[in-house]
Amino acid sequence: MSIALPRGVKDFLPDMAGKMNRLEERLSDCFELWGYRGVITPSIENLDVIALAEPELLERMFKFEDRDSGKLLALRPDMTAQIARLASSHLKDRPLPLRLHYGGPVLHYGTGEKGERREIYQNGLELIGLRQPEADGEVIAVAIEALKSTGLTGFKIDVGQVEFFRSVIEGLSLPYDLRGEVEAAVARKDRSGLEDILPRLKLKADDVEVLLALPTLFGDRTVLDRAAGMKLNARAKKALENLSGVLDTIDSYGLMEYITVDLGEIRGLNYYTGVIFEGFVAGVGEELCGGGRYDTLLGRYGYDAPATGFAISIETLMKALSMQSALPDAGCVDFLVVSGGEKIHDAMQLARALREKGFKVARDIEERKLEKSLAYAKRECMGKLIVVGDKDSAPDELLLVDIESDKSIRCSLADLTGGQLKFA
């Protein structure tokens, strides 16, 4: 019988799982510092709930039939749809705004590319009920602070405005069959590709200037001034004003050094309606985080409220931190307690006393030589080994061994918990 995992999923062994848990704790702590409260949603969702948010996801979902009700169910491919369901049902009578954060895996078939993950671990948040630019600015600021809290450096957040991009493209009255080519070229920052398409578009000179400028509207905040100098319709100008207000908020938080502006940016899911953003770091060929405003989505669930949010890919973040040698500690066990002679009961009592003081303690229940216990402790990332009842120790003495250095001292329980011990 084959015991290989399905394509696109993987196990996380204790060391890596420990590092992942530490990261998620840091992210959660950061979210809560900004007033966001945690929610937990199920991995299984009604198919129609997901379909309301993004019909295009239907082909990528893992779907199956509920044997009891006959309804179609799905493994969630996206968290935002579940937050929309939650807000429109259990939380619909709560005062706005709602600040919610979450974590867990999302699952989908993907596109079939080699190495593509089907199960992606995410931590993210949603801010529901506010339309002001400050709300978008807050969400982007939290994303930056969350990434900073993990120890990551050198990352950038690319900020765009889909309403600006859509209004410009729609104002050009492009032939429907060529619109996809134009959008793809802009997304690639491919000005020469756009020039190749121009003869088929039959645009006015002013419109050509606007279209060819789109791939170049990338950089610092002065990009907004360059865009404002172009011939734009009222809708595009309003979108620029909105983005300017968002950047004002980020600037007030002292975080503009992390921001690049990209007015040619268009994210994947179609439910975005305003400011959008993605996080990247050099050397990692995929986004760390992504999100934006989606003011019309909750209305599909009968709860007409504006919203904005983002999600962080935990595995991509771990890859980036590993490249920077900044992955957190896996959360090692503090002590391995070994009993010598007839001191099994005393060893268990010591382990209990240490746990009550907040230490992580394992008991070496196996009867074996001290050398083997030391080897076990080293392999399992334990800090120190304690021998209760060592033959050379006084009745109230403990033998304490530092696993990394192999140095040892004899001490009392009070010495052990006082934190002042030094290994010669």
Side-chain angles (χ1 to χ4, degrees):
M1 182 181 74
S2 172
I3 58 173
L5 282 170
R7 179 178 62 81
V9 298
K10 65 180 180 180
D11 293 315
F12 292 91
L13 301 183
D15 284 349
M16 195 56 70
K19 295 175 190 293
M20 180 182 287
N21 289 337
R22 300 292 87 72
L23 276 182
E24 292 189 299
E25 288 170 4
R26 292 181 187 181
L27 294 174
S28 180
D29 288 346
C30 180
F31 298 159
E32 292 180 4
L33 282 174
W34 286 74
Y36 290 78
R37 302 179 66 191
V39 294
I40 300 173
T41 58
S43 297
I44 299 173
E45 186 60 81
N46 285 312
L47 185 68
D48 53 5
V49 168
I50 306 296
L52 274 175
E54 189 58 46
E56 290 180 5
L57 284 175
L58 286 170
E59 295 304 314
R60 300 176 61 192
M61 280 189 265
F62 290 99
K63 302 183 284 283
F64 56 98
E65 185 178 302
D66 186 342
R67 290 190 301 178
D68 295 328
S69 67
K71 289 185 177 181
L72 283 176
L73 306 178
L75 299 179
R76 63 182 178 210
D78 177 60
M79 289 278 198
T80 306
Q82 291 190 305
I83 300 299
R85 173 186 55 74
L86 205 65
S88 64
S89 54
H90 304 297
L91 302 177
K92 65 180 179 181
D93 295 324
R94 298 283 184 95
L96 295 175
L98 298 174
R99 285 181 167 89
L100 308 174
H101 76 86
Y102 58 82
V106 296
L107 301 102
H108 55 72
Y109 278 108
T111 60
E113 294 181 12
K114 186 177 180 181
E116 186 178 29
R117 289 168 293 180
R118 292 181 172 187
E119 184 177 43
I120 301 170
Y121 286 83
Q122 295 182 340
N123 281 66
L125 58 79
E126 312 295 337
L127 175 53
I128 298 170
L130 296 173
R131 297 185 186 277
Q132 295 92 329
E134 184 183 342
D136 299 274
E138 174 182 304
V139 166
I140 295 172
V142 179
I144 294 170
E145 294 289 6
L147 292 174
K148 286 173 61 182
S149 75
T150 69
L152 188 69
T153 60
F155 64 88
K156 287 288 186 179
I157 304 294
D158 289 353
V159 182
Q161 228 290 1
V162 295
E163 187 66 9
F164 172 83
F165 183 86
R166 287 172 183 161
S167 62
V168 168
I169 292 296
E170 290 170 12
L172 297 177
S173 300
L174 301 174
Y176 181 79
D177 59 332
L178 294 178
R179 181 166 173 170
E181 284 187 56
V182 170
E183 292 182 352
V186 173
R188 295 193 307 269
K189 307 291 186 288
D190 185 4
R191 182 184 171 99
S192 62
L194 282 178
E195 291 173 342
D196 292 339
I197 303 171
L198 279 177
R200 292 181 283 161
L201 300 180
K202 300 178 181 179
L203 298 177
K204 298 177 182 177
D206 288 344
D207 290 339
V208 169
E209 181 183 352
V210 171
L211 179 60
L212 293 180
L214 284 177
T216 71
L217 295 176
F218 176 86
D220 60 22
R221 189 168 182 166
T222 60
V223 165
L224 271 65
D225 298 327
R226 288 167 49 205
M230 296 163 32
K231 181 184 178 183
L232 300 174
N233 56 42
R235 184 176 157 201
K237 291 178 180 178
K238 185 176 180 181
L240 284 181
E241 291 172 4
N242 170 263
L243 180 53
S244 181
V246 173
L247 296 179
D248 286 342
T249 299
I250 297 170
D251 194 18
S252 294
Y253 283 120
L255 298 172
M256 278 300 292
E257 66 182 285
Y258 296 94
I259 299 297
T260 56
V261 177
D262 186 357
L263 293 179
E265 174 61 32
I266 47 174
R267 276 182 57 77
L269 295 178
N270 292 325
Y271 55 60
Y272 290 111
T273 59
V275 167
I276 54 174
F277 62 96
E278 294 178 312
F280 296 95
V281 66
V284 179
E286 51 192 308
E287 67 180 51
L288 294 164
C289 65
R293 176 161 289 277
Y294 53 98
D295 283 349
T296 61
L297 177 61
L298 275 75
R300 303 176 197 175
Y301 295 83
Y303 186 71
D304 190 15
T308 180
F310 70 88
I312 294 173
S313 169
I314 299 300
E315 291 171 77
T316 305
L317 177 57
M318 290 178 72
K319 184 189 299 184
L321 288 168
S322 179
M323 291 178 61
Q324 296 183 3
S325 300
L327 272 174
D329 184 85
C332 295
V333 174
D334 296 309
F335 299 111
L336 176 67
V337 177
V338 177
S339 54
E342 301 298 322
K343 297 289 187 176
I344 294 176
H345 177 74
D346 292 346
M348 288 190 285
Q349 290 300 307
L350 173 64
R352 178 184 178 185
L354 289 170
R355 291 186 192 113
E356 287 176 348
K357 292 183 177 294
F359 293 102
K360 300 172 186 175
V361 184
R363 263 281 293 132
D364 197 13
I365 298 172
E366 186 76 22
E367 290 187 17
R368 51 186 163 190
K369 292 182 178 180
L370 182 58
E371 292 77 9
K372 290 190 175 181
S373 292
L374 285 168
Y376 171 77
K378 186 170 293 187
R379 187 176 68 247
E380 292 302 310
C381 187
M382 297 180 177
K384 295 176 176 61
L385 181 142
I386 304 172
V387 182
V388 181
D390 173 62
K391 61 183 179 62
D392 297 323
S393 298
D396 294 329
E397 268 188 338
L398 305 169
L399 176 64
L400 181 66
V401 183
D402 182 73
I403 302 300
E404 185 175 351
S405 68
D406 284 332
K407 293 181 179 180
S408 62
I409 54 175
R410 300 184 190 281
C411 62
S412 67
L413 175 60
D415 294 332
L416 187 65
T417 57
Q420 301 300 315
L421 293 172
K422 292 184 179 181
F423 291 87

